[in-house]
């Protein structure tokens, strides 16, 4: 970014700068010596090359994002808090590169990242799930995924906003809203950003950060990625540790990257995946982590020979001719790139999924149990149980907008009686649905993945703990939508090959319009 002395060297340049700051449609574009380098839309690989060529420092990169946040966040509400130590961390990364110019360093060394505000950081940042009830609470340690990020040399830029309590307080609250963060806005449309990892997607889409972390229980990475024209990976449950994450369901919760490109998402995933002694699920899932990481699967010919299932019920877009034609073209692209499409597939129990209540029954019970355990583990906290949170919300009803949105999901969870016949029955039912539905479909047709529009089969992936990757697929009247590739547990390598090959063939992502053109 040009220095203040450069701007001051000319009165005309100074006036022009004032005009740039005044117009919300014009934002900083950082350029550096030797040859021009623009930070906007730069990938992790681009940034590492710029570091090596001395075109950019981590400090300059963080400063750029801080200015973007200052310019955009008052409207978009994608960032909840900025880390006061971010510049110090950036300086440390710069010094490490000077001390060891040949490295080796990880792909995320010196790269700023935002983590969703339900992911614990043992620093000056709060971890509140967007609620005032947890403001001032003290976590015992970094979440395991944050520990891995720090070890890799990433810069923790701050906390991304979210749907409060990961959208498990109220069914009436809009996606992207939290008491602490306000209403997050889709930077393409000015309205629904989808959630609950809304801020992670908003911030990446608008170049307020390089990469981000989100969490998903059911659709909370895939949906905001689709709505905000970014890439999201919902990992196999247990591939990444959930220790230190404000929970909903240990059975379904997963932590994954939200980025602008598949390559960036692969770099983040390989950084955060692996065994954590504080999360038993990671021990079982560690067998799925490939030696050499996930970046090795970034192959332009990754679609060649892949068998992709097309379940037409997911593509039911009614009379929307544009969407029908767009996905028809995408199917053609997949074929042209060497994929074998197994079309017109049906799952034997697809109708059962639409009315079965097993997931909601299980989540209510699991939420109370898991949240109580998380709150009791805090070093200090204004609340120690779900009952305390409900009481806090009632006492601070204006602050938490209880009259407007209520807290029906929490109240339903509070009514549950813990592990018993009801929970066991729901779990057995979901296992049956998964094995007789998605797994049977995949194995019977020898599929590498199922392809679907938007996040239309997120619940299928959620209840079975399966992975999915969302990639930008287009825009309808300015509103983004994505295409999702989902597979069996541990199929992330194949999904990354497929998603990357599709992304490179289409390159459909584009930046959001200037803020002043949006209608709020």
């Amino acid at each position: 970014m040009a220095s203040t002395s450069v701007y001051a060297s000319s009165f005309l340049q100074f006036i022009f700068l004032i005009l740039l700051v005044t117009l919300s449609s014009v934002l900083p574009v950082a350029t550096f010596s030797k040859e021009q380098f623009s930070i906007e839309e730069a990938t992790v690989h681009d940034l590492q090359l710029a570091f090596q060529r001395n075109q950019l420092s981590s400090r300059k990169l963080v400063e750029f994002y801080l200015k973007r946040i200052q310019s955009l966040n008052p409207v978009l509400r994608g960032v909840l808090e900025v880390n006061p130590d971010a510049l110090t961390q950036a300086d440390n990364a710069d010094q490490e590169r000077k001390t060891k110019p040949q490295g080796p360093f990880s792909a995320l060394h010196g790269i700023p990242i935002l983590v969703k505000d339900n992911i614990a950081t043992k620093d000056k940042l709060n971890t509140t799930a967007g609620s005032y009830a947890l403001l001032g609470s003290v976590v015992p340690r970094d979440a395991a995924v944050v520990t891995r990020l720090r070890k890799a040399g990433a810069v923790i830029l701050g906390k991304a906003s979210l749907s409060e309590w990961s959208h498990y307080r109220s069914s009436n609250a809009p996606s992207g809203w939290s008491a602490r963060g306000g209403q997050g806005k889709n930077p393409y449309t000015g309205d629904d950003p989808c959630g609950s990892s809304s801020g992670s997607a908003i911030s990446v889409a608008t170049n307020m950060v390089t990469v981000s972390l989100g969490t998903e229980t059911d659709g909370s990475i895939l949906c905001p990625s689709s709505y905000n024209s970014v890439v999201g990976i919902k990992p196999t449950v247990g591939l990444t540790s959930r220790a230190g994450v404000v929970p909903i369901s240990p059975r379904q919760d997963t932590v994954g990257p939200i980025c602008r490109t598949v390559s960036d998402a692969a770099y983040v995933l390989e950084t955060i995946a692996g065994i954590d002694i504080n999360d038993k699920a990671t021990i079982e899932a560690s067998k799925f982590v490939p030696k050499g990481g996930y970046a090795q699967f970034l192959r332009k010919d990754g679609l060649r020979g892949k068998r992709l299932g097309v379940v037409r019920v997911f593509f039911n877009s009614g009379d929307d001719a544009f969407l029908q034609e767009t996905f028809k073209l995408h199917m053609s692209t997949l074929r042209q790139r060497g994929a074998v499409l197994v079309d017109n597939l049906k799952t034997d129990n697809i109708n059962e999924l639409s009315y079965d209540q097993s997931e909601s029954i299980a989540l209510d019970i699991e939420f109370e149990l898991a949240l109580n355990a998380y709150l009791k583990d805090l070093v200090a906290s204004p609340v120690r149980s779900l009952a305390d949170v409900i009481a806090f919300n009632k006492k601070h009803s204006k602050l938490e907008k209880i009259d407007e949105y209520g807290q029906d999901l929490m109240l339903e969870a509070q009514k549950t009686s813990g592990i018993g016949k009801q929970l066991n029955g729901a779990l057995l039912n979901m296992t049956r649905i998964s094995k007789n539905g998605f797994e049977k479909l995949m194995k019977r047709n020898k599929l590498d993945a199922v392809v679907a529009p938007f996040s239309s089969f997120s619940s299928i992936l959620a209840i079975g703990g399966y992975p999915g990757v969302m990639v930008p697929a287009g825009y309808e009247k300015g509103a983004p939508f994505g295409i999702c590739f989902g597979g069996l547990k541990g199929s992330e390598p194949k999904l990354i090959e497929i998603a990357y090959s599709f992304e490179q063939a289409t390159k459909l992502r584009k930046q959001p319009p200037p803020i002043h053109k949006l209608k709020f």
Side-chain angles (χ1 to χ4, degrees):
M1 189 178 299
S3 66
T4 305
S5 61
V6 173
Y7 288 131
S9 65
S10 166
F11 178 74
L12 289 176
Q13 286 179 320
F14 178 76
I15 295 298
F16 184 60
L17 175 63
I18 296 300
L19 289 172
L20 290 181
V21 174
T22 302
L23 294 172
S24 63
S25 61
V26 183
L27 293 162
V29 176
T31 57
F32 301 92
S33 59
K34 294 189 179 181
E35 58 182 90
Q36 194 174 53
F37 178 79
S38 175
I39 292 174
E40 287 189 39
E41 297 293 292
T43 65
V44 166
H45 179 70
D46 294 336
L47 294 172
Q48 291 296 349
L49 283 178
F51 291 156
Q52 293 172 19
R53 295 169 178 169
N54 294 318
Q55 295 174 290
L56 179 66
S57 66
S58 290
R59 169 170 272 271
K60 290 288 186 183
L61 184 58
V62 169
E63 288 175 340
F64 173 80
Y65 288 135
L66 292 177
K67 288 187 178 181
R68 294 280 297 190
I69 291 168
Q70 188 176 20
S71 299
L72 293 172
N73 201 58
V75 175
L76 297 177
R77 302 281 185 171
V79 181
L80 193 56
E81 288 186 32
V82 168
N83 188 355
D85 293 329
L87 285 171
T88 299
Q89 292 179 20
D91 289 340
N92 291 340
D94 290 334
Q95 185 58 43
E96 287 170 358
R97 282 194 298 274
K98 287 180 181 178
T99 304
K100 296 181 179 180
Q102 302 305 316
F105 297 109
S106 80
L108 295 188
H109 186 269
I111 301 295
I113 184 168
L114 284 170
V115 300
K116 188 177 177 181
D117 184 46
N118 62 342
I119 301 173
T121 54
K122 185 70 171 174
D123 52 19
K124 295 174 184 176
L125 292 165
N126 287 289
T127 303
T128 68
S131 170
Y132 283 105
L134 282 178
L135 187 61
S137 63
V138 180
V139 299
R141 65 194 71 85
D142 278 337
V145 290
V146 173
T147 298
R148 286 178 173 272
L149 290 171
R150 293 195 199 277
K151 186 177 180 181
V155 175
I156 308 300
L157 186 63
K159 293 293 181 76
S161 61
L162 73 166
S163 305
E164 188 173 308
W165 294 105
S166 296
H167 222 316
Y168 218 77
R169 188 194 96 179
S170 168
S171 58
N172 297 315
S175 285
W177 176 86
S178 71
R180 286 196 63 220
Q183 179 60 59
K185 299 287 188 179
N186 185 315
Y188 293 86
T189 61
D191 52 21
D192 185 7
C194 201
S196 64
S197 303
S198 49
S200 302
I202 293 167
S203 301
V204 166
T206 54
N207 287 272
M208 289 195 279
V209 72
T210 312
V211 294
S212 69
L213 284 190
T215 66
E216 175 158 332
T217 306
D218 186 337
S220 291
I221 288 175
L222 298 178
C223 185
S225 296
S226 178
Y227 273 48
N228 294 276
S229 196
V230 291
V231 172
I233 297 181
K234 176 224 181 259
T236 300
V237 170
L239 194 75
T240 56
S241 173
R242 292 80 49 81
V245 177
V246 182
I248 293 178
S249 163
R251 180 182 47 79
Q252 289 186 202
D253 293 346
T254 186
V255 181
I258 298 179
C259 308
R260 285 185 293 274
T261 65
V262 177
S263 62
D264 285 359
Y267 286 127
V268 175
L269 182 62
E270 69 183 19
T271 301
I272 63 173
I275 291 178
D276 171 33
I277 59 172
N278 293 313
D279 185 349
K280 293 180 180 179
T282 62
I283 298 172
E284 173 65 20
S286 65
K287 65 186 178 184
F288 297 132
V289 180
K291 291 181 179 180
Y294 290 99
Q296 63 184 304
F297 302 106
L298 298 171
R299 298 173 47 205
K300 286 188 177 181
D301 64 348
L303 277 165
R304 186 177 300 164
K306 295 294 191 300
R307 288 176 61 83
L308 305 182
V310 182
V311 181
R312 281 293 163 183
V313 68
F314 295 133
F315 287 86
N316 183 14
S317 53
D319 297 327
D320 195 324
F322 174 79
L323 286 177
Q324 291 177 2
E325 186 61 27
T326 298
F327 282 105
K328 183 178 179 181
L329 289 172
H330 289 335
M331 295 301 115
S332 177
T333 297
L334 294 171
R335 289 191 183 93
Q336 289 171 6
R337 284 288 173 135
V340 176
L341 295 192
V342 186
D343 208 343
N344 297 309
L345 294 179
K346 296 179 180 179
T347 57
D348 294 339
N349 55 10
I350 191 67
N351 292 327
E352 186 178 3
L353 283 169
S354 63
Y355 64 79
D356 184 76
Q357 297 299 307
S358 296
E359 183 184 17
S360 60
I361 290 170
L363 292 182
D364 279 348
I365 298 170
E366 292 166 333
F367 178 58
E368 182 188 24
L369 295 171
L371 183 62
N372 286 347
Y374 173 87
L375 295 175
K376 287 176 182 177
D377 192 44
L378 294 174
V379 175
S381 177
V383 291
R384 290 292 185 180
S385 67
L386 175 58
D388 289 349
V389 175
I390 291 170
F392 178 95
N393 290 341
K394 288 180 179 178
K395 184 177 180 180
H396 303 278
S397 58
K398 287 188 177 180
L399 198 61
E400 288 286 340
K401 292 194 174 183
I402 293 298
D403 290 342
E404 292 93 327
Y405 303 138
Q407 51 180 335
D408 60 305
L409 295 178
M410 286 188 165
L411 291 171
E412 286 300 313
Q414 180 64 13
K415 293 177 185 177
T416 61
S417 54
I419 297 173
K421 289 183 179 180
Q422 189 178 31
L423 176 59
N424 291 333
L427 297 181
L428 286 171
N429 202 36
M430 284 186 287
T431 299
R432 177 185 58 79
I433 290 172
S434 295
K435 289 188 178 297
N436 294 341
F438 186 65
E439 289 190 22
K440 184 176 179 181
L441 177 79
M442 292 288 293
K443 294 174 181 178
R444 182 173 56 195
N445 295 284
K446 298 180 180 180
L447 302 177
D448 294 298
V450 165
V451 56
F454 329 124
S455 55
S456 56
F457 76 138
S458 66
S459 290
I460 292 176
L461 300 178
I463 66 172
Y466 309 118
V469 182
M470 185 69 69
V471 183
Y475 305 83
E476 184 176 33
K477 298 178 181 178
F481 56 89
I483 189 169
C484 184
F485 304 98
L488 296 174
K489 292 179 181 180
S491 62
E492 282 85 354
K494 287 182 180 180
L495 297 181
I496 288 171
E497 286 181 334
I498 293 165
Y500 182 73
S501 184
F502 175 81
E503 176 195 56
Q504 294 303 300
T506 55
K507 294 186 177 181
L508 288 167
R509 173 178 155 73
K510 58 185 179 182
Q511 292 192 63
I515 282 185
H516 76 280
K517 291 186 177 181
L518 295 176
K519 295 180 180 179
F520 295 100

